[in-house]
Amino acid sequence: MFGTVVVGVGIAGLARIRDLMNPMPSSPSEHLKLFGFVSRRSFGNINEAKQISLEDALKNKDIHAAFISTENRSHEETIRMFLEAGKHVLVEYPMALSAKAAHELWEMAEQKGKVLHVEHIELLTEEYKQLKKEVAGKDLVKGTLHFTGSVLDENKSGFPAFSGIARLTWLIDLFGDLTVTSATREKQKDKNYSRMTVHFQTANK
């Protein structure tokens, strides 16, 4: 069995705990053993998974991999700690708040002989796979991607573009490299409202 720990118990972390506690029959998850979860908040147990300290997770020789599901800003530091401790790491997208940090982390994982995997689970959904089939072989003339969500804490999630960066990778995966041609941001603090509008251009303009 391959020992694991989940770090962070937001929506993604709770889903990880659920799936590790109840793996699909004959799936690779059956070979994973959840030793516990790490959180700054005190929970005790969640679905029979026990809370352990970060220090215990880093020191435990039976834990081979960490699933990191914390806020964006803390990803980089948490990845470094687990790689230093000799653990494999799976992290929710995005891995870090800069490309420079991401490259440094991948180099560190390579030097340690560990797997560092960034998971962007939306790209594995049936809906997305269908969308990819629909645009295959077609030329993009013009298009709009619009999405909404609650206003995020920038101290935890990073600057606003990071709140939507997962959606931007859809566009790059579908249409290739993109260049930013303009970007504006509108804020209405009294209404707790923020909107970012970005225009991109594909490689063939």
Side-chain angles (χ1 to χ4, degrees):
M1 295 293 284
F2 202 74
T4 63
V5 63
V6 172
V7 184
V9 288
I11 294 171
L14 290 172
R16 294 269 180 217
I17 292 170
R18 179 199 66 208
D19 293 344
L20 287 165
M21 297 296 285
N22 302 285
M24 288 178 65
S26 303
S27 73
S29 299
E30 285 194 314
H31 302 287
L32 301 177
K33 179 181 179 183
L34 180 65
F35 273 81
F37 66 90
V38 174
S39 176
R40 290 188 301 266
R41 294 171 289 169
S42 181
F43 288 97
N45 287 7
I46 297 177
N47 296 340
E48 297 180 19
K50 65 177 182 177
Q51 184 165 3
I52 62 176
S53 69
L54 176 62
E55 187 179 7
D56 286 345
L58 292 167
K59 286 182 176 177
N60 191 329
K61 301 294 183 194
D62 292 323
I63 294 176
H64 307 103
F67 292 172
I68 298 173
S69 304
T70 57
E71 62 272 5
N72 296 342
R73 193 171 288 279
S74 69
H75 285 182
E76 180 184 346
E77 181 186 1
T78 311
I79 291 168
R80 285 185 192 280
M81 285 191 289
F82 278 97
L83 288 177
E84 285 286 0
K87 317 286 187 191
H88 302 288
V89 176
L90 179 146
V91 62
E92 305 287 343
Y93 190 92
M95 180 165 71
L97 296 189
S98 74
K100 181 177 180 286
H103 287 292
E104 286 174 2
L105 292 170
W106 263 312
E107 285 173 16
M108 184 179 177
E110 198 170 329
Q111 289 166 3
K112 298 277 185 185
K114 298 300 171 186
V115 173
L116 171 54
H117 175 72
V118 186
E119 185 158 279
H120 188 348
I121 201 148
E122 288 178 354
L123 301 184
L124 305 176
T125 62
E126 290 306 315
E127 293 88 348
Y128 183 79
K129 288 177 185 175
Q130 183 59 38
L131 177 62
K132 195 160 184 177
K133 279 182 190 172
E134 287 175 17
V135 303
K138 296 177 182 174
D139 288 326
L140 176 67
V141 178
K142 190 175 183 181
T144 301
L145 176 64
H146 178 244
F147 56 94
T148 61
S150 58
V151 178
L152 297 176
D153 182 343
E154 290 185 29
N155 290 325
K156 294 180 179 177
S157 300
F159 45 92
F162 264 82
S163 304
I165 200 166
R167 299 302 191 289
L168 301 185
T169 52
W170 287 15
L171 297 179
I172 293 169
D173 188 54
L174 293 170
F175 305 113
D177 286 346
L178 302 171
T179 302
V180 178
T181 58
S182 68
T184 57
R185 184 183 183 192
E186 176 191 349
K187 285 180 82 172
Q188 296 178 23
K189 276 194 174 178
D190 56 325
K191 296 180 180 176
N192 201 26
Y193 173 84
S194 175
R195 180 169 82 174
M196 180 171 275
T197 304
V198 187
H199 293 94
F200 298 98
Q201 202 168 60
T202 59
N204 62 2
K205 310 296 181 189

